[in-house]
Amino acid sequence: MSLFSNWLSPAARPKIRLSTLSPQPGHYHDHEPDDGDDSASELDLDPESSLHPRTPFPASSSSSANLTLHPNTSVPDRSLLCPQPVHAEGSYAPSPSSSVSTTPVPSRVSSPALPYSSGASSCSSDSEDEPGSPLLGPARTRRPRRDQYHSRRWFSVSSRPTRRRHDTVGGIRALKRGVRLVVRHPFFPKTPVTILLTLLFLSIFGVSLTFLLMYILNPDKEPLPWRGYCTIPRFTTAPPQLSLPTTAQFPDLLPANFSPPTFPPPGVDFDSLSPAGVLVGVFSMDASVERRMLIRSTWASHPRSREGAVGGDGGVGTSRTVVRFIMGQPRKEWERRIKLEQELYNDLVVLPIAENMNDGKTHAYFAWAAQHAWVPPLYFDNFTNVPRLSYANATSPAPAPADHDSRFAKLDYIGGEPLPWVRPDFVAKVDDDAFVMLAELEARLRVELHQQAQTNPGASPVSSSESSSSTVLSTSSLLSEPSSSQLSTSMESRADTPARSDDPLIFWGYLVKNRFMAGELYVLSFALVDWVAHDPQVRTMTRGAEDKQTSKWIRAHPRAQDVRWVSERCWIYDHPRASTVYSHGFLFPSEVERVQKAVLADLARVEQHALSTESASFPSPFGPTAPWPHAWAQSTVSKFGARYAAPVADLDLEYSVEALVEGSAMSQLHEGSAMTPELAWEAREGRNARYAGRRVGGTVVVHFIKKNMWFLEAATAFLHGADVTPAEKALEGAVDGWTPSAEDLHDPARLEEAEGRTRLVRRHRQQ
């Protein structure tokens, strides 16, 4: 208490008095401890006074000339606070502007308020490195202190000013400042809840943006008029004009005496045409072992794929068709497995390139095919039309056949002296997510080969040279199993071998948007393959979407106008579960006949509107920008943009596959309908009825089979099933009426069931 009382006492407070007295020179010298002046004791700091830090100079009025204290005290020498330079002989020169008296500074202030310091130095020297007063300690520069109650701005990166430094690391320093600025933003999440909500929001935003970009960049936004494709084919084989809009579905007008297309074409003796040699290269990769096994066991070897419907042809048509799997160099961990697979199945082709999709694999495949592709020769001699081709001279010893090759090629190889193999007429590129009916593919290519190539009517052997050979086996022997001894050869030389310019130029596939053939399957004749492999300009055009690049190659051909662009848009489509614009149910000729009748009825309305003056308009679908009826895109199985759903729930396995067939009674079921799955199954069509009594003329390729289950569904729909159903057998036995048996007469339930089944089948046939 004595400390505070002494400090607050008026007698203890030093009084400040202004004076005009100038300091005495003698007062600039240091005081010794034994000096008798009272100022020496006043300069000694009281220990209690250290509790209250204060500045050495109290504030004074600017209007006063002198500063004096109590009459009994004096201000200490100014040199103690601001040392002056030493002059000659150890003396100090007084400052002319100094007005401080010699009275020493008191140890206590006269005001009860806390001492205040402005922070500015009272020394006249400009240097901050001068030693401080021995009483106040070393001098130091004090920075302006920020108010402790003032909150810092979020955009202030640092709390203290920093000097600008040269950034030697590039933009790392600026990046750190930017990150620090973002993190200190008031809206930046800092709690776990806000962080989770922010991540959720960003995820939703990213997914939405991705789907939006996919929709904007997707060129296929509307379903396609596949029913119109099956009725109104492309009437020209000229290369499509690039000036034609990509949305032009039916740019050409109907010709006179138009009739829907059928296959084989009317007026063509299909059985007299010699089979075409086809190399089917399935693009695969090292890890796709399961898909290769599915292909080997289904469409590559199954009799209904190789022989066709309604009894087939015994495999004659596909006797020159081989299937090989094309892949790049396998990865190191797959090398041994690929070698073992090749040793076992003998159907792999490993290209000398790294595995890729759009970086040159297609060109490498065609370059390989131009040099190393071989197919079996013609094993039969009773075809009246055999093409004359320049590459018939090239032969190679027969390689070991694969298990899924033609049985005639395997029998020939087992005999010990197999016939040499020859160049293929066509080289096909196929994706491994496609299901191919080999007999249908070979039949289409056979017609195109004989339509353009020069033929030699009446020639029994195939076109050959001195080194080529042909067999003398007749197709009449197909009823019995041919032996290896029957596969004998006959040599015939030919001097008038046609030139390369006479070889057919054919580009076959699904024409997309009048620009290119779709990549799931397209075919090049061997003349085009040989040109693609050796043309220097094509070698510079190998990168990019491979199907589009292939079409660019064909347009760059020196005889581009002579290339036949054959488009098949009715019998190539996507799996019904794919839900793409190219998707609809599994298609058969019987349903296409019904589709064609409906489309022809629409065309009749167009013609009737053109001749009448009715106000109701039915626009013509023909022209570059003409609209087409939306009913032409209708499918009983699938719907564009919607995931496939079974017509009714809990269908049996056979019923579920039947529901994927376009136009079937099972596909048209719905909840609450009078038709039940059992009745729809009884009303199904057999294979003979679905193919309208013809061997070929149905689906060629089903694409976009992304799941193995989808692949098995396609295999079941096309390779299995009875040729004639029980209901069709009953209908064949009662054309004019049903005749019950003795057992049926004694069983009213069986009698009613049989009569109902017969009426249902007859009604379905009429529809």
Side-chain angles (χ1 to χ4, degrees):
M1 293 300 293
S2 60
L3 175 63
F4 293 99
S5 61
N6 294 334
W7 187 77
L8 296 177
S9 173
R13 300 178 188 172
K15 297 183 180 180
I16 299 176
R17 181 164 56 95
L18 297 179
S19 173
T20 58
L21 298 176
S22 60
Q24 300 299 326
H27 289 195
Y28 284 93
H29 296 282
D30 294 335
H31 293 274
E32 296 297 330
D34 55 348
D35 196 351
D37 193 0
D38 296 334
S39 61
S41 61
E42 294 290 335
L43 289 174
D44 294 336
L45 298 178
D46 187 13
E48 297 180 357
S49 64
S50 62
L51 299 176
H52 303 280
R54 53 188 176 270
T55 58
F57 300 109
S60 61
S61 174
S62 60
S63 60
S64 302
N66 294 329
L67 179 65
T68 60
L69 298 177
H70 193 271
N72 299 327
T73 61
S74 63
V75 179
D77 196 323
R78 182 75 174 185
S79 63
L80 297 177
L81 303 179
C82 298
Q84 301 297 325
V86 180
H87 293 271
E89 298 181 358
S91 61
Y92 291 91
S95 175
S97 61
S98 176
S99 61
V100 182
S101 64
T102 59
T103 306
V105 178
S107 60
R108 302 183 184 273
V109 297
S110 60
S111 174
L114 294 176
Y116 169 78
S117 173
S118 62
S121 176
S122 61
C123 302
S124 59
S125 174
D126 296 334
S127 175
E128 296 180 359
D129 298 331
E130 297 177 355
S133 171
L135 299 178
L136 301 177
R140 61 179 179 179
T141 304
R142 302 185 63 182
R143 300 178 183 273
R145 187 175 183 181
R146 187 183 299 272
D147 187 0
Q148 58 180 346
Y149 299 102
H150 180 69
S151 61
R152 191 168 53 186
R153 300 289 185 178
W154 67 270
F155 50 79
S156 177
V157 177
S158 177
S159 60
R160 59 177 62 182
T162 56
R163 295 181 181 178
R164 227 179 249 186
R165 301 178 182 176
H166 180 66
D167 193 357
T168 59
V169 198
I172 297 181
R173 190 182 304 277
L175 180 61
K176 289 181 178 179
R177 292 175 181 174
V179 172
R180 194 179 300 116
L181 189 68
V182 172
V183 171
R184 293 179 56 184
H185 195 280
F187 292 154
F188 189 83
K190 298 180 178 61
T191 62
V193 176
T194 56
I195 291 175
L196 291 177
L197 292 178
T198 303
L199 293 178
L200 179 61
F201 171 77
L202 292 177
S203 301
I204 296 175
F205 175 77
V207 173
S208 303
L209 182 62
T210 301
F211 280 101
L212 178 61
L213 293 177
M214 291 174 58
Y215 176 80
I216 294 175
L217 299 177
N218 182 19
D220 303 321
K221 298 183 178 64
E222 298 293 336
L224 298 178
W226 67 271
R227 292 174 176 265
Y229 296 159
C230 294
T231 308
I232 311 168
R234 189 170 180 263
F235 295 103
T236 178
T237 57
Q241 300 177 2
L242 295 178
S243 59
L244 196 66
T246 58
T247 56
Q249 305 295 345
F250 306 99
D252 303 323
L253 296 177
L254 282 176
N257 301 323
F258 164 75
S259 60
T262 58
F263 191 87
V268 176
D269 188 4
F270 182 76
D271 293 331
S272 66
L273 306 178
S274 62
V278 184
L279 170 64
V280 180
V282 182
F283 276 31
S284 182
M285 59 182 301
D286 49 14
S288 302
V289 179
E290 187 174 4
R291 181 53 60 95
R292 290 195 293 271
M293 293 303 302
L294 287 174
I295 293 175
R296 292 184 182 111
S297 60
T298 54
W299 60 263
S301 60
H302 200 279
R304 286 183 171 174
S305 173
R306 283 191 166 269
E307 300 178 8
V310 192
D313 65 344
V316 175
T318 58
S319 61
R320 305 184 61 208
T321 301
V322 296
V323 178
R324 296 294 182 263
F325 297 98
I326 313 299
M327 65 178 64
Q329 292 292 331
R331 290 166 291 182
K332 188 173 182 179
E333 61 270 20
W334 284 90
E335 288 181 356
R336 190 171 187 273
R337 280 178 279 188
I338 293 301
K339 291 180 180 179
L340 291 174
E341 186 177 355
Q342 170 65 7
E343 186 72 19
L344 182 60
Y345 297 103
N346 198 30
D347 58 358
L348 301 182
V349 175
V350 181
L351 301 175
I353 60 172
E355 180 60 47
N356 65 86
M357 179 186 300
N358 297 319
D359 198 16
K361 182 177 181 179
T362 302
H363 182 267
Y365 164 58
F366 287 129
W368 172 88
Q371 299 293 331
H372 307 286
W374 306 99
V375 295
L378 187 62
Y379 289 119
F380 308 98
D381 64 347
N382 58 344
F383 297 102
T384 58
N385 292 313
V386 181
R388 301 175 57 229
L389 305 168
S390 65
Y391 49 83
N393 297 331
T395 60
S396 176
D403 291 341
H404 47 74
D405 284 346
S406 168
R407 63 188 180 97
F408 301 108
K410 290 186 287 186
L411 288 173
D412 184 28
Y413 187 82
I414 294 174
E417 296 181 358
L419 300 178
W421 284 25
V422 299
R423 291 296 188 193
D425 300 317
F426 297 96
V427 177
K429 179 265 172 183
V430 184
D431 288 341
D432 63 352
D433 63 343
F435 188 94
V436 184
M437 299 292 287
L438 292 179
E440 300 286 353
L441 176 63
E442 188 277 331
R444 265 67 167 195
L445 298 179
R446 185 194 307 189
V447 171
E448 295 300 328
L449 177 67
H450 288 269
Q451 187 171 353
Q452 185 179 4
Q454 296 181 3
T455 57
N456 182 21
S460 58
V462 69
S463 302
S464 58
S465 63
E466 296 181 357
S467 60
S468 63
S469 60
S470 61
T471 63
V472 294
L473 181 62
S474 173
T475 55
S476 60
S477 62
L478 292 177
L479 297 179
S480 59
E481 184 71 19
S483 61
S484 60
S485 60
Q486 290 179 292
L487 298 173
S488 60
T489 62
S490 63
M491 305 298 295
E492 179 182 355
S493 62
R494 175 178 294 276
D496 55 342
T497 301
R500 286 188 176 184
S501 59
D502 297 330
D503 293 339
L505 303 176
I506 301 173
F507 188 26
W508 188 93
Y510 185 107
L511 184 61
V512 179
K513 296 186 177 299
N514 305 307
R515 292 295 186 271
F516 60 93
M517 295 296 185
E520 62 265 23
L521 185 147
Y522 55 82
V523 183
L524 275 66
S525 60
F526 186 78
L528 291 177
V529 172
D530 185 68
W531 173 80
V532 166
H534 297 92
D535 186 75
Q537 181 182 359
V538 172
R539 295 179 183 177
T540 63
M541 305 166 57
T542 59
R543 294 187 177 182
E546 54 92 15
D547 46 6
K548 296 181 181 179
Q549 292 299 113
T550 303
S551 297
K552 292 179 181 179
W553 301 342
I554 304 304
R555 292 182 184 274
H557 194 277
R559 296 171 53 197
Q561 296 301 320
D562 297 334
V563 178
R564 291 170 55 88
W565 289 58
V566 184
S567 177
E568 181 59 81
R569 297 191 295 181
C570 178
W571 301 106
I572 300 178
Y573 51 90
D574 286 353
H575 193 279
R577 293 182 183 269
S579 300
T580 65
V581 297
Y582 309 96
S583 176
H584 55 73
F586 297 136
L587 201 58
F588 292 95
S590 60
E591 177 62 20
V592 170
E593 291 182 359
R594 293 187 283 267
V595 167
Q596 290 174 348
K597 291 180 181 179
V599 173
L600 290 177
D602 293 337
L603 296 179
R605 293 173 56 191
V606 173
E607 183 179 0
Q608 182 180 3
H609 169 69
L611 299 176
S612 63
T613 57
E614 298 179 357
S615 57
S617 63
F618 190 86
S620 174
F622 304 105
T625 59
W628 46 267
H630 292 285
W632 290 5
Q634 178 186 1
S635 172
T636 61
V637 176
S638 62
K639 184 177 180 180
F640 170 61
R643 180 175 296 182
Y644 173 81
V648 293
D650 301 330
L651 286 177
D652 293 343
L653 183 61
E654 293 180 336
Y655 295 176
S656 63
V657 175
E658 179 69 16
L660 296 174
V661 176
E662 184 66 38
S664 64
M666 193 73 69
S667 68
Q668 303 180 37
L669 291 177
H670 57 85
E671 298 292 343
S673 62
M675 178 74 72
T676 62
E678 291 75 18
L679 291 178
W681 175 253
E682 292 292 336
R684 75 188 187 281
E685 293 178 326
R687 286 179 53 84
N688 293 349
R690 284 178 172 171
Y691 280 89
R694 297 188 292 267
R695 185 180 68 85
V696 290
T699 294
V700 180
V701 179
V702 179
H703 181 230
F704 209 88
I705 305 179
K706 299 303 182 181
K707 299 181 179 180
N708 291 338
M709 184 192 70
W710 300 3
F711 192 96
L712 295 175
E713 289 174 343
T716 303
F718 289 103
L719 305 180
H720 290 264
D723 291 335
V724 181
T725 64
E728 291 173 338
K729 291 181 180 179
L731 184 62
E732 291 174 0
V735 178
D736 298 329
W738 177 70
T739 303
S741 61
E743 296 179 355
D744 294 334
L745 293 176
H746 295 284
D747 191 348
R750 294 181 58 185
L751 180 64
E752 182 179 359
E753 180 182 357
E755 290 178 347
R757 185 186 304 110
T758 303
R759 288 193 300 269
L760 181 63
V761 173
R762 185 181 292 111
R763 188 185 312 113
H764 185 70
R765 284 289 185 85
Q766 292 175 355
Q767 293 176 355

